[in-house]
Amino acid sequence: MLFAILIRAGEPTCRLLASPAMPVFTKEGDIIIGGIFVFHVYKECFFFLVSLNFREFQFAKAMIFAVEEINNSSDILPGVSVGYRIYDACTSIQLGIRAAMALMNAPDEDMFNDTSCKKSSNVHAIIGMSGSSHTIGVARVIRSFHIPLISYVATCACLSNKQEYPTFFRTIPSDYYQSRALAQLVKHFGWTWIGTVRSDNDYGNLGMATFIQAVQQEGICIEYTEAVYISYPREKIIKTARVIKESSSKVIVAFLSLLDMDILLKELTLQNVTGLQWIGSEGWISARIFATEEVYQILGGAIGFAITDSLIPGLKDYMLNFWETIFSCSMNSNTNASKCTGLENLREMKNEYTDVTELRIPSNVYKAVYAVAYSLHSLLKCKQEQVGVGNKTCENELPVEPWQVVQQLKNVNFTTIYGENIYFDRNGDPAAKYELVNWQMNNLGTVKFVKIGIYDASLPDGHQFIMNNISIVWAGNRTWIPRSVCSDDCLPGTRKAVQKGKPICCFDCVPCAEGEFSNATSSCPLDYNSNEQKDHCVLKVIEFLSFGEIMGIILVTCSLFGVTLTALVASIFFYYKETPVVKANNSELSFLLLLSLMLCFSCSLTFIGEPSQWSCTIRHTTFGITFVLCISCILAKTIVVLMAFRATLPGNNIMKWFGPTQQRLSVLAFTLIQVLICALWLIISPPFPHKNMVLYKEKIIFECDLGSPTAFYAVLGYIGFLSAMCFILAFLARKLPDNFNEAKFITFSMLLFCAVWISFIPAYISSPGKYIVAVEIFAILTSSFGLLLCIFAPKCYIILLKPEENTKKHLMGKALTN
C-alpha cells in the first residue's frame, strides 16, 4: 500500500494519504498502550485466519494478558483503566509506520482535519516491533512526537544511540553484548576457522560486524561470510547453501532472524548439509518451530545464546484459552470454515501458539507492558490512603502526555512477581543476561533446548561465563568438541609458514631453521632451544661469570691479592707514620687513598656471580663512587704539592687557603657529586638483571642491564674528568725542586690509569657475553694496581730498603742544592 507523509512548517509530521489502519485487537481505557506485531506476511495481510503467525499471535496475547492483569490488580494504577490497540504490520516496514501513525490518532478521526495535528497522541506508549529494521523505521517516525517505543525483540546495537532514538527502550539485551559473547564462546571452545551467515538487515549486518571485529582480535579466522534475507531470490539462497556445504570450516556462526533462518534451513535440507556445528544468535536458537527431527539432522548439537526464560504465573493457561484460531473452526455456521463442535482438545494441538514450554519473548512483552504501567504509576503518584483498607488513589489526574512517560521510563525500577528486577540504563537497554542453550534430543525423540550455562555482562571480565555441569551434545551427536582449523598442526621438526593471500590460520609446514623447534602444537619458548632432531625443547645454557670457573677464580684471586697488598702498604705506612717520607706525603690523604683502593679492589667481586637485583644495583654505583674517592684523594695530593712549592716562595701564604680542612672538604665535594649522579641513576632507571636471548641462539647471557646507558657513561665521564684534571696538574708539578717529588709518580699513575680506561671502551663494546664483565673487572684491577704501585711502591722501597734516605735532610737535599 502506497502512502506519503505530509509535513507542514512548524507542525509535527502526523498525517497519511490513506485511511488509518484498523486495529486487530482493541480495548478502551483511561490509558492506551499501542502494540504493533506481525501476524501475517504482506500478501496475506487482510485475511486474519489465513497463514496466521502463531508466534507473533502469542506475543500479542502476552500483551493483552499483562494489561488485564494490571487492570485486575489493586497494587498498580488503582482507579485507572488500561486499554490497548494492537495492529498488524504484515512484515512491512511501511505498514508498521502506518500503524504507528494510526496509533497517534483516534481510530475514527479524520486524518485530513488540521486540528488532529495539534492534539496529543492517543496512545501513551507503543510496544513493538518484531525486528530491528522495522523498529528503526517506526522509532524514527514517532521520535518527533516524543512517544516511547518499547521493543521486546529488536536487538540492534544502533538503537542504543539516544541522539537518534531518544524515545526508544527495550526489554531484550543489545547485540553489543551478544556479539562479544559469541566471540568469547568461539574462543572458549578453541575454534580458529569458522564461517558466518547473517541476515541482510540492520540486525544481522551490525551484529555480525561487531562479532567479526571481536573474533579477529582473538586471532580467529573467518573463511566466508554470507548474507540471507527473506526477499532474496532462491538462486542466492542456493549459492549460500553451496558455500556452506563446500567450505572446510566445521563451525558456523549464524546471526539470523527467525524468518531468514527458516529459508536457509529449507535449502540446507534439500542439499543434505549435515554434520556442521552451528552457533546461533537469540533470533533463532530457541525457536520451537525448528525443533523437529528433520531440522535436528542439520542443527543437532547447536549451541547459542537465548533470552532468559521466565515463569509468569497464569500466562500459560491464558495462552491456551483461544479456540477458533487454533482449530481453524468457527462458532458461526454461515462461514466457509468448519463449525466448532466443542469437543476439540486444545492440549493436543501442536503449533507455535500452543507450545508454552518456553515463554522467552512473551515474557519480554510482559515486562514492556509493566514498565509502562509502573512509569504511569509513578507519574500519577498513585498510593494507598491511610483511611480505608484497600482504598487507593492517584494524586495527579489524567491526561498524561507521552513525553512524561519517556522521562519516567528512564528512572523506572521494579521487581516482577516472579522476582526479576527490571530497569533501563542510560541507553534504554536492560541488564545483558543470556542463557547458553544446547540442542539435544531425548529418548522420546523430542528436541530440547538444554540450558548449559549463562552469560552475565555485568560480571567482571573472565567471569561472565558460568557453565553448568551438564554434558554438551555436539554436531552429529558427538560427545567431544569438534575441531575446525584451516591447516592441520605441523609435525615435529617443522614450523608454520603463512600462505600468501590467506588468513594467518592457513599455513604450510616447512622444516625448522637451525636453533628453532616446533612440536605438534607450538614452538620453543625463548629460553629453550631445539634438540638435534628438532622434536622437543631443551633448556638453553645460562651463561654468566661465576666464582667456580677458571676465569672467575683468577679474577677473585687478583682482587683479594690487591686488597691484601693494599692492607700491607697501609700497615707499613701506619708503622712508619712518624718518618719523613710518610709525613712529607700528607699521611691523612695517603691513608684515605689506601682505603679507597681497598674498596676498588673489593668492588670487582660484585661483578662475579649470578646477577641479582642487589648485585646489579651495587656493582656499578660502588665502582663509580670508590674510584671518584680514589681520584679525589690523588687530586688533593697533587694540589697540595703545587701549593707547598708556592708556599716556599718569599711572601707567599697560599697554604692557609688549602690546609687539611680544605683538603678534606675538596675530597668530600668531589665524591658527593658522583654520589648524586649514582642516586639519580638508581631513582630514574636503575640497573637490573636481564636474560639476553638475542646475542646467541644456543645460550642465554645472564647479565646486568645498565637501565640507563646515559647514567653509566656519566659516571665514567666524571671519573675521566677528574683523572684528566689530576694528570694535567701532576704534569705541571713534575719538575718542582724536591728529592722526593710525588708529582712524578702521580703523573705516571694517571697516565697508566687513563690508558687503561681509554682502551677499556672499545674492548667493553666488542666483548661478547660474560667476557664483557671480565673486561670491566680487568680494567678495575689494572687501574687499581697501577695507582697502588706507581704512588706507593717508591715510598715503600725507601722505607724498607733505603732507610738512610728516609730523612728530612735527604728529602730537602735537592732543594737546598738549588
Side-chain angles (χ1 to χ4, degrees):
M1 182 175 291
L2 299 177
F3 63 91
I5 300 176
L6 297 180
I7 303 176
R8 292 189 177 184
E11 296 183 357
T13 304
C14 68
R15 296 194 298 168
L16 301 176
L17 291 179
S19 60
M22 297 303 294
V24 178
F25 300 103
T26 182
K27 177 183 176 68
E28 294 305 314
D30 300 325
I31 298 292
I32 300 296
I33 300 177
I36 306 176
F37 299 90
V38 180
F39 296 124
H40 304 87
V41 295
Y42 180 75
K43 62 184 179 181
E44 299 163 346
C45 195
F46 301 101
F47 303 95
F48 184 71
L49 296 180
V50 178
S51 300
L52 175 64
N53 186 331
F54 287 107
R55 183 171 182 262
E56 290 284 323
F57 184 67
Q58 190 185 64
F59 302 162
K61 292 294 285 184
M63 176 179 170
I64 296 172
F65 170 79
V67 170
E68 292 184 359
E69 191 177 70
I70 291 168
N71 285 333
N72 294 329
S73 173
S74 59
D75 295 324
I76 182 170
L77 293 176
V80 178
S81 63
V82 181
Y84 51 80
R85 293 193 191 122
I86 298 176
Y87 287 80
D88 186 1
C90 299
T91 68
S92 169
I93 297 177
Q94 289 81 2
L95 291 182
I97 295 173
R98 179 189 177 194
M101 299 296 288
L103 283 168
M104 289 186 284
N105 297 279
D108 56 351
E109 192 172 74
D110 182 5
M111 297 280 298
F112 296 94
N113 187 347
D114 289 341
T115 60
S116 64
C117 282
K118 300 173 183 178
K119 295 170 63 176
S120 62
S121 170
N122 283 276
V123 295
H124 297 84
I126 299 175
I127 310 298
M129 290 177 59
S130 298
S132 295
S133 295
H134 295 76
T135 305
I136 289 171
V138 172
R140 285 175 174 167
V141 170
I142 68 173
R143 65 184 175 186
S144 300
F145 301 93
H146 309 290
I147 300 174
L149 174 65
I150 304 97
S151 177
Y152 51 89
V153 77
T155 58
C156 180
C158 60
L159 287 164
S160 297
N161 185 351
K162 282 301 172 188
Q163 296 295 323
E164 192 167 357
Y165 308 102
T167 66
F168 176 77
F169 300 85
R170 55 181 154 198
T171 54
I172 188 170
S174 165
D175 283 338
Y176 173 87
Y177 302 100
Q178 181 178 203
S179 299
R180 285 161 175 77
L182 286 169
Q184 289 299 316
L185 185 66
V186 172
K187 178 185 176 183
H188 177 79
F189 291 112
W191 296 313
T192 59
W193 186 239
I194 62 174
T196 64
V197 186
R198 71 186 189 279
S199 291
D200 194 7
N201 54 21
D202 295 300
Y203 167 73
N205 292 331
L206 297 175
M208 185 57 72
T210 304
F211 169 78
I212 291 175
Q213 182 182 13
V215 294
Q216 287 178 343
Q217 291 174 353
E218 301 292 347
I220 298 168
C221 301
I222 297 175
E223 181 181 9
Y224 62 86
T225 177
E226 291 289 316
V228 177
Y229 195 59
I230 187 172
S231 60
Y232 274 5
R234 186 165 181 265
E235 291 73 19
K236 295 191 70 173
I237 307 300
I238 293 174
K239 174 183 173 294
T240 298
R242 188 180 298 117
V243 169
I244 294 173
K245 185 177 182 178
E246 296 174 356
S247 66
S248 61
S249 58
K250 303 301 180 184
V251 176
I252 304 174
V253 177
F255 218 104
L256 294 166
S257 66
L258 183 70
L259 296 176
D260 295 336
M261 187 65 180
D262 186 34
I263 293 172
L264 180 61
L265 281 175
K266 290 176 181 177
E267 189 58 41
L268 293 174
T269 303
L270 292 175
Q271 296 193 27
N272 193 27
V273 181
T274 60
L276 300 177
Q277 181 61 51
W278 288 82
I279 311 298
S281 65
E282 41 68 42
W284 65 267
I285 194 65
S286 60
R288 298 300 306 177
I289 188 175
F290 300 142
T292 64
E293 288 190 34
E294 183 183 29
V295 174
Y296 190 80
Q297 299 302 314
I298 300 172
L299 297 181
I303 59 175
F305 293 105
I307 304 305
T308 55
D309 194 12
S310 302
L311 182 61
I312 303 174
L315 180 58
K316 290 185 178 181
D317 293 335
Y318 181 84
M319 290 292 185
L320 297 176
N321 188 21
F322 192 77
W323 201 269
E324 290 179 311
T325 303
I326 300 300
F327 292 107
S328 299
C329 64
S330 174
M331 298 294 185
N332 186 355
S333 59
N334 295 326
T335 63
N336 294 328
S338 60
K339 182 175 175 59
C340 296
T341 65
L343 300 177
E344 293 86 359
N345 190 342
L346 193 61
R347 299 187 181 277
E348 291 180 358
M349 292 297 297
K350 300 294 182 182
N351 58 38
E352 288 184 273
Y353 181 82
T354 58
D355 184 1
V356 291
T357 55
E358 293 179 345
L359 297 173
R360 300 177 188 274
I361 303 301
S363 67
N364 282 349
V365 178
Y366 179 88
K367 289 182 284 189
V369 174
Y370 264 88
V372 176
Y374 273 102
S375 298
L376 290 165
H377 186 86
S378 177
L379 190 61
L380 296 173
K381 296 184 178 180
C382 299
K383 65 180 180 178
Q384 182 173 347
E385 292 185 349
Q386 300 295 328
V387 181
V389 178
N391 185 15
K392 300 183 180 181
T393 61
C394 298
E395 290 184 7
N396 294 340
E397 296 182 357
L398 294 170
V400 172
E401 297 295 332
W403 66 265
Q404 295 175 293
V405 182
V406 172
Q407 297 303 318
Q408 287 298 324
L409 278 170
K410 295 178 181 179
N411 303 316
V412 72
N413 193 325
F414 65 95
T415 302
T416 62
I417 57 175
Y418 52 87
E420 184 177 358
N421 182 236
I422 306 299
Y423 63 91
F424 301 109
D425 63 16
R426 63 180 182 178
N427 297 320
D429 298 328
K433 294 181 181 179
Y434 298 95
E435 290 182 1
L436 184 61
V437 298
N438 178 217
W439 281 47
Q440 300 184 14
M441 181 175 286
N442 60 18
N443 296 331
L444 300 176
T446 304
V447 178
K448 297 291 184 183
F449 304 141
V450 179
K451 179 180 174 181
I452 59 174
I454 63 171
Y455 178 87
D456 190 345
S458 64
L459 298 177
D461 290 341
H463 301 278
Q464 294 169 332
F465 273 111
I466 302 175
M467 303 297 290
N468 296 338
N469 190 21
I470 297 176
S471 298
I472 301 176
V473 174
W474 301 100
N477 284 326
R478 291 187 291 263
T479 56
W480 61 88
I481 301 175
R483 292 181 71 247
S484 185
V485 296
C486 179
S487 301
D488 290 327
D489 295 324
C490 292
L491 296 173
T494 60
R495 64 175 178 84
K496 299 175 182 179
V498 178
Q499 297 175 359
K500 187 176 181 180
K502 291 190 177 182
I504 59 173
C505 303
C506 302
F507 50 83
D508 296 318
C509 296
V510 297
C512 291
E514 187 64 32
E516 294 182 346
F517 155 85
S518 71
N519 59 14
T521 57
S522 60
S523 299
C524 281
L526 289 176
D527 52 348
Y528 282 78
N529 199 7
S530 59
N531 62 346
E532 293 183 0
Q533 293 75 28
K534 299 179 182 177
D535 58 1
H536 71 273
C537 294
V538 292
L539 187 64
K540 288 182 180 180
V541 176
I542 299 178
E543 184 179 272
F544 57 87
L545 185 59
S546 65
F547 289 99
E549 59 184 295
I550 295 177
M551 186 186 301
I553 293 172
I554 293 173
L555 293 174
V556 169
T557 302
C558 291
S559 177
L560 295 177
F561 177 72
V563 173
T564 304
L565 186 61
T566 306
L568 180 62
V569 172
S571 300
I572 294 172
F573 264 57
F574 183 77
Y575 186 79
Y576 294 98
K577 62 182 177 180
E578 299 299 330
T579 61
V581 169
V582 176
K583 287 184 176 182
N585 288 279
N586 195 328
S587 59
E588 186 176 335
L589 286 177
S590 296
F591 283 117
L592 187 58
L593 176 59
L594 288 169
L595 175 63
S596 64
L597 284 172
M598 290 180 66
L599 294 175
C600 289
F601 283 117
S602 300
C603 78
S604 63
L605 297 175
T606 62
F607 288 80
I608 305 174
E610 182 176 352
S612 63
Q613 186 63 51
W614 176 85
S615 64
C616 290
T617 301
I618 201 173
R619 64 171 56 171
H620 289 104
T621 53
T622 304
F623 151 73
I625 293 171
T626 53
F627 263 84
V628 164
L629 177 62
C630 179
I631 302 301
S632 299
C633 293
I634 297 173
L635 181 60
K637 290 171 70 70
T638 306
I639 295 174
V640 168
V641 172
L642 286 172
M643 296 298 180
F645 174 73
R646 292 197 174 272
T648 59
L649 299 177
N652 198 317
N653 196 22
I654 195 172
M655 278 303 295
K656 72 176 183 179
W657 300 107
F658 201 72
T661 301
Q662 287 77 15
Q663 295 170 27
R664 299 188 197 103
L665 290 175
S666 64
V667 172
L668 179 63
F670 287 137
T671 307
L672 283 178
I673 294 174
Q674 185 73 307
V675 170
L676 180 61
I677 295 174
C678 292
L680 291 174
W681 184 6
L682 296 181
I683 292 171
I684 297 173
S685 182
F688 58 91
H690 170 66
K691 290 184 178 180
N692 189 337
M693 304 179 191
V694 179
L695 190 61
Y696 297 102
K697 289 185 177 180
E698 68 279 2
K699 59 184 177 181
I700 299 172
I701 305 300
F702 201 8
E703 60 188 5
C704 283
D705 192 291
L706 294 175
S708 173
T710 303
F712 176 66
Y713 294 133
V715 169
L716 291 181
Y718 184 62
I719 295 174
F721 169 74
L722 292 181
S723 302
M725 185 184 298
C726 189
F727 172 76
I728 293 171
L729 293 178
F731 182 80
L732 294 175
R734 73 188 187 285
K735 293 185 179 181
L736 293 179
D738 200 332
N739 251 357
F740 190 77
N741 185 0
E742 195 175 20
K744 299 175 184 178
F745 305 115
I746 292 175
T747 303
F748 188 73
S749 67
M750 285 295 101
L751 189 62
L752 179 61
F753 182 88
C754 293
V756 168
W757 285 102
I758 290 173
S759 61
F760 160 79
I761 295 174
Y764 181 85
I765 295 174
S766 60
S767 297
K770 64 181 180 181
Y771 298 103
I772 193 170
V773 180
V775 167
E776 194 166 358
I777 295 174
F778 178 79
I780 292 172
L781 294 178
T782 303
S783 56
S784 298
F785 275 115
L787 294 175
L788 178 66
L789 296 177
C790 290
I791 295 176
F792 292 99
K795 300 180 179 61
C796 291
Y797 174 78
I798 293 174
I799 291 172
L800 298 177
L801 301 178
K802 296 287 186 177
E804 66 276 8
E805 296 181 6
N806 190 6
T807 61
K808 186 176 182 179
K809 180 179 179 181
H810 178 78
L811 294 176
M812 300 296 293
K814 188 173 182 179
L816 293 172
T817 303
N818 292 340

